[in-house]
Amino acid sequence: MGHRLGRILITQDEISLRVRELGQALARDYQGKDPLLLAVLKGAVVFLADLMRATELPIACDFIGVSSYGASSRTTGVVKITADLSQTIEGRDVLVVEDIIDTGRTVAYLKRNLLTRHPGSLRICALLDKVGRREVEVELDYVGFSIPNEFVVGYGLDYMSLYRNLPYIAVLEPEDGGKLP
Ligand code: PRP
């Protein structure tokens, strides 16, 4: 298939420990509130499922679908919403849940878009932060792990729609002189 699974970058145990810590941080920071966890499809779904069970806050969840910007809109950072929220977020404490922040363009766009809907508060929680790839400055409120600039799959992250189901995060390596995006 031109690629193979390489070494495990973050194990299942490391993920589960960190998710538990994030859940405790949310419980502390949102005490007395009922935040809306907003997962960005599709990669963040696995993280959301674990994160929402790592806190006993009365939370709600919703989903938003975005399309990756094409080559032509790379510089403008225009992201298209392909599936919108099922509810209004006016006055709600919204926490955007992402699997990975790369260039930062998707989350920067989402932030701008969601702020026009007047949430009570808006924060970002990302499992992985590929800091070295950042093109747009974005403030992340909760980060699971900072990772090097390698192509990773698993725990929601895919390569050509595969590997989202892996319970750990692994590096994907090209085979036979191939190249990954
Ligand atoms: C990934 C990830 C973020 C975005 C980050 O989604 O879930 O939404 O890319 O990249 P950026 O910081 O460079 O904007 P992807 O487009 O792979 O979709 P998926 O979650 O459905 O796999």
Side-chain angles (χ1 to χ4, degrees):
M1 289 207 279
H3 65 272
R4 61 168 174 266
L5 272 185
R7 72 182 199 287
I8 293 180
L9 190 65
I10 308 173
T11 66
Q12 189 168 359
D13 282 352
E14 287 168 334
I15 294 173
S16 102
L17 182 65
R18 190 71 188 113
V19 169
R20 220 165 338 159
E21 288 171 355
L22 289 171
Q24 285 161 4
L26 296 185
R28 229 177 19 245
D29 298 352
Y30 287 97
Q31 200 180 7
K33 298 185 170 160
D34 56 346
L36 174 67
L37 269 51
L38 178 55
V40 185
L41 296 169
K42 302 173 186 167
V45 167
V46 177
F47 179 37
L48 172 77
D50 284 344
L51 184 64
M52 66 192 290
R53 288 176 295 172
T55 173
E56 288 183 5
L57 287 169
I59 54 173
C61 68
D62 205 347
F63 302 88
I64 191 162
V66 293
S67 73
S68 306
Y69 32 80
S72 58
S73 53
R74 259 200 96 73
T75 46
T76 59
V78 173
V79 177
K80 211 169 96 194
I81 291 183
T82 54
D84 210 346
L85 298 172
S86 63
Q87 61 201 281
T88 167
I89 57 167
E90 192 170 345
R92 295 296 304 270
D93 292 301
V94 176
L95 179 69
V96 174
V97 177
E98 264 288 24
D99 52 349
I100 188 165
I101 309 296
D102 194 336
T103 64
R105 291 187 187 281
T106 303
V107 83
Y109 170 83
L110 267 180
K111 234 176 157 169
R112 282 199 304 275
N113 180 292
L114 294 172
L115 282 172
T116 66
R117 309 183 197 200
H118 308 295
S121 68
L122 181 64
R123 289 185 184 160
I124 311 291
C125 175
L127 180 70
L128 305 178
D129 184 9
K130 226 186 224 185
V131 265
R133 294 256 308 170
R134 198 71 91 254
E135 292 176 12
V136 173
E137 189 136 350
V138 274
E139 192 189 327
L140 305 178
D141 302 280
Y142 304 91
V143 171
F145 304 91
S146 289
I147 61 164
N149 187 11
E150 292 187 275
F151 196 98
V152 290
V153 294
Y155 200 72
L157 291 123
D158 76 309
Y159 175 59
M160 291 175 54
S161 298
L162 300 174
Y163 303 118
R164 292 193 200 274
N165 56 305
L166 297 178
Y168 48 81
I169 289 165
V171 175
L172 197 70
E173 294 173 348
E175 222 168 31
D176 308 328
K179 233 182 129 216
L180 294 168

